[in-house]
Amino acid sequence: MKPPAILGTREFMTADRQPHQRSFAAGERLFDENELGDVAYIVESGSVKVTRRIAGEDSLIATLGAGEVIGEMALLDDAPRSATATAETETQVFIIERDLLRQHLSMADPMINLLMRVLLDRLRGGTDEGGSGRGASARSAAVRRDYRDAELRAIDLFKFEHELKRGLGAGQFELTLQPIVHLDDGRIAGFEALMAWHHPTRGRLSPATFIDVAERSGLVRQLDDLALRQALQALTWIKRDLGQHADELRVAVNLSGVHVDDATTVERVRRVIEEEDFDARHLTLEITESWLVRDPDGAQQTLAGLKDLGLRLALDDFGTGYSSLGYLHRFPMDYLKVDRSFTEKMTTSEGSANIVRAVIGLAHTFGLQAIAEGIDDPAQIEILSDMACEFGQGYHFSRPLVAKDAHAFVAAQLG
Ligand code: C2E
Ligand code: CA
Ligand code: CA
């Protein structure tokens, strides 16, 4: 039997058309003064002349080159363009859409939102009074440099987010599965689903490099839904193909903290489980502590709804955040995951070993099972087994595997 079709990504990647880039010929307008705009541009190559009509004459305000942004103000307030932008030479630009920016602003701290508005008013004021572009003359060189640094960081982030959004649409994300084993006898218990990104120019990226950006932009919802669907499909395929020996295999899928106060979370998870015709008893959702501390009441409600679907819950990265023993009993957890940072140092640091022992003891006190992450040294297994830790996961057993290799891993064990 072949792996489910959704797992193949190459054919999608070749269909990638880069809709967020555009070329302008020399003399072509990017936009006109007084028109309404809903996109900004980052100049990738070439140059753009910015002019304003003053006393019936076009006067040059600025000439922008690679890496500079033009037209951003119209994204933030609905005022018409305050200048005309014309390509001086053949110019390649990267397009920033209003939607993405709006999504950012809606999630931004209200103080930041307010500051944005104040700054925007000043910038518009600067343009009107001085006729000197972005009010640059009023700023000292140091302030301009700071502004430029912030601008460059924002540009990098925007580009990365655009690539992420595009990559999600273009099927560049691939499910990988890392085995989780019973520590007493090494039998496989299941997998954790971890999404890898086949970036068109940067190569294969691990989630550690993009989850932050996905969370900040809200794109993580789409990513998590995709991970869940692909994980259920892959496990269904492995179970069907390997028969009853694989019956008990579970799959754990990460659910970002952004879902905690999203009223649609339970329904979305329910729908995927139903559409994939998956037995929810074999699904675990991994959530982090930050979920719980940010909005304990909301979390309690969402988690109760998820548990009602028949799945299990794991508390991930335990001990790395604002862990508070006070809340553990409030949430319907089944597993507690011992963070890699503790497992790693366990063989060399007595302090870390004590923390691991305490965390495992705590899990058992609350009726949970413990899963130790980041096992890459056999010496760790012995210590963890002595501490009665039920499950383990780490490079010693296996790195995250694509679906067909995960299938082979199980098949080899079942012998
Ligand atoms: P996590 O949930 O704590 O996942 C474990 C991470 O540790 C994974 O990194 C895994 O590859 C890595 N790892 C496992 N065993 C070892 C080991 O023995 N040594 C070392 N050095 N590392 C090991 P990865 O794949 O980069 O994932 C990073 C984080 O990204 C994950 O941490 C998880 O929080 C997040 N993540 C991954 N996939 C998803 C997803 O689909 N949705 C969401 N919301 N988050 C995800
Ligand atoms: Ca996890
Ligand atoms: Ca973890």
Side-chain angles (χ1 to χ4, degrees):
M1 214 190 277
K2 289 186 129 177
I6 193 167
L7 301 172
T9 58
R10 196 132 305 144
E11 56 275 35
F12 286 107
M13 286 172 67
T14 52
D16 186 3
R17 291 188 316 277
Q18 309 220 345
H20 300 293
Q21 278 166 328
R22 196 181 148 180
S23 285
F24 289 91
E28 198 179 346
R29 292 272 165 90
L30 281 74
F31 54 77
D32 277 309
E33 193 171 348
N34 293 326
E35 76 179 17
L36 293 174
D38 56 5
V39 294
Y41 302 97
I42 301 167
V43 181
E44 295 263 82
S45 63
S47 71
V48 175
K49 202 170 61 174
V50 185
T51 54
R52 290 189 70 196
R53 199 120 189 108
I54 298 170
E57 297 264 0
D58 279 339
S59 68
L60 183 68
I61 297 173
T63 304
L64 304 180
E68 302 202 76
V69 180
I70 175 81
E72 75 278 21
M73 290 200 226
L75 292 184
L76 298 168
D77 58 7
D78 295 309
R81 303 281 194 197
S82 57
T84 296
T86 314
E88 253 189 343
T89 54
E90 161 97 25
T91 297
Q92 181 84 21
V93 297
F94 192 93
I95 301 171
I96 303 173
E97 291 147 341
R98 178 179 286 197
D99 277 355
L100 197 64
L101 197 92
R102 286 277 155 96
Q103 207 174 2
H104 261 283
L105 281 180
S106 71
M107 290 193 309
D109 179 290
M111 193 64 185
I112 298 204
N113 244 310
L114 178 70
L115 271 172
M116 288 283 292
R117 308 271 155 216
V118 172
L119 280 171
L120 194 68
D121 280 345
R122 291 230 179 107
L123 288 170
R124 285 226 186 262
T127 315
D128 288 335
E129 286 156 28
S132 54
R134 298 158 176 217
S137 60
R139 282 181 253 136
S140 73
V143 171
R144 267 205 306 278
R145 240 192 337 269
D146 282 353
Y147 176 82
R148 184 75 190 129
D149 284 351
E151 197 175 46
L152 285 176
R153 276 196 301 275
I155 289 171
D156 275 351
L157 190 65
F158 264 123
K159 283 177 124 179
F160 198 59
E161 265 182 42
H162 260 294
E163 289 167 356
L164 192 69
K165 191 174 176 189
R166 185 150 48 90
L168 274 165
Q172 291 167 5
F173 286 81
E174 183 173 38
L175 172 82
T176 63
L177 295 165
Q178 187 176 35
I180 297 176
V181 306
H182 293 273
L183 279 183
D184 53 0
D185 59 5
R187 252 181 323 126
I188 181 156
F191 298 98
E192 176 176 1
L194 298 158
M195 288 303 258
W197 182 7
H198 296 278
H199 190 282
T201 55
R202 301 185 205 202
R204 189 176 186 285
L205 300 179
S206 98
T209 62
F210 60 81
I211 287 293
D212 259 13
V213 176
E215 289 193 329
R216 249 180 299 165
S217 61
L219 290 167
V220 77
R221 282 188 181 74
Q222 224 177 310
L223 185 75
D224 282 357
D225 287 0
L226 184 70
L228 177 61
R229 193 174 291 279
Q230 294 200 358
L232 300 190
Q233 288 179 355
L235 203 70
T236 300
W237 169 60
I238 292 172
K239 280 172 182 283
R240 285 215 184 113
D241 213 44
L242 296 177
Q244 62 176 25
H245 304 293
D247 265 359
E248 290 310 310
L249 285 185
R250 314 184 52 76
V251 69
V253 180
N254 292 284
L255 209 58
S256 155
V258 306
H259 303 279
V260 70
D261 50 5
D262 180 341
T264 65
T265 298
V266 176
E267 178 52 25
R268 288 201 339 260
V269 172
R270 191 195 63 74
R271 195 169 343 122
V272 177
I273 293 172
E274 195 180 287
E275 283 169 5
E276 297 304 328
D277 196 19
F278 192 83
D279 183 348
R281 286 176 306 164
H282 295 145
L283 171 64
T284 302
L285 293 178
E286 297 196 357
I287 60 159
T288 56
E289 289 177 299
S290 54
W291 255 76
L292 311 179
V293 284
R294 214 180 301 163
D295 173 13
D297 295 332
Q300 205 165 5
Q301 208 178 340
T302 306
L303 296 183
L306 290 170
K307 279 291 286 192
D308 283 346
L309 302 176
L311 48 77
R312 294 190 193 164
L313 294 171
L315 187 54
D316 204 352
D317 300 346
F318 188 76
T320 57
Y322 311 86
S323 35
S324 150
L325 298 183
Y327 63 62
L328 247 189
H329 72 279
R330 285 183 60 179
F331 302 102
M333 294 296 158
D334 301 282
Y335 303 102
L336 204 155
K337 295 195 83 168
V338 182
D339 192 69
R340 170 155 57 95
S341 55
F342 303 122
T343 320
E344 248 168 19
K345 293 187 227 118
M346 208 172 52
T347 49
T348 51
S349 145
E350 204 177 325
S352 292
N354 286 336
I355 291 176
V356 174
R357 185 177 296 106
V359 169
I360 293 169
L362 193 70
H364 294 158
T365 303
F366 284 97
L368 318 183
Q369 292 186 306
I371 304 171
E373 297 180 332
I375 299 177
D376 52 13
D377 168 359
Q380 293 162 332
I381 303 175
E382 202 171 321
I383 304 175
L384 287 162
S385 297
D386 283 348
M387 295 175 182
C389 180
E390 284 88 352
F391 302 99
Q393 169 184 5
Y395 293 168
H396 170 72
F397 303 109
S398 170
R399 289 192 173 248
L401 305 167
V402 295
K404 77 171 175 20
D405 296 338
H407 176 288
F409 186 94
V410 180
Q413 243 201 26
L414 298 177

